[in-house]
Amino acid sequence: MSVASAELKSRIKRALIEELDLRGKHEQDIDDAAPLFGEGLGLDSLDALQLAMAIEERFGVSVPEGDAGRVVFASVEAIAEFLTRAGAEGARSSEGG
């Protein structure tokens, strides 16, 4: 069961599309649980580096390197869970606070 909000996942998908210039892709085209690398979106190691920098910049977190980082970037859902656990400043809605 995911504790990450649909809003957060949507923001992650927007970051993926914008930062990695995924032309022709829309948020609804990206499955929350689909792998981002290989079979899924087909991202490569250069994309991973770009994505890590984008997530750090947009959400104010430090993304781990190596195997721990690969776990974080397994899927949109995994990124959302990581941001939620990390208490990322951008992971919570800024409304009503």
Side-chain angles (χ1 to χ4, degrees), residues 12-30:
I12 292 166
K13 290 176 185 181
R14 276 198 304 274
L16 278 166
I17 292 166
E18 292 166 10
E19 297 290 339
L20 302 178
D21 198 22
L22 300 177
R23 288 191 175 92
K25 285 274 188 207
H26 302 283
E27 288 178 42
Q28 62 271 23
D29 297 335
I30 303 172

Side-chain angles (χ1 to χ4, degrees), residues 33-95:
L36 299 180
F37 297 89
E39 298 281 322
L41 275 183
L43 302 183
D44 60 25
S45 57
L46 190 57
D47 294 326
L49 185 59
Q50 204 172 343
L51 181 57
M53 292 189 315
I55 294 293
E56 288 181 347
E57 187 177 299
R58 288 180 182 225
F59 295 97
V61 296
S62 181
V63 176
E65 294 182 22
D67 289 341
R70 277 191 274 284
V71 171
V72 170
F73 292 124
S75 65
V76 168
E77 207 160 68
I79 296 170
E81 295 292 345
F82 166 75
L83 292 173
T84 301
R85 279 195 315 274
E89 59 194 45
R92 289 183 290 283
S93 175
S94 57
E95 295 174 27

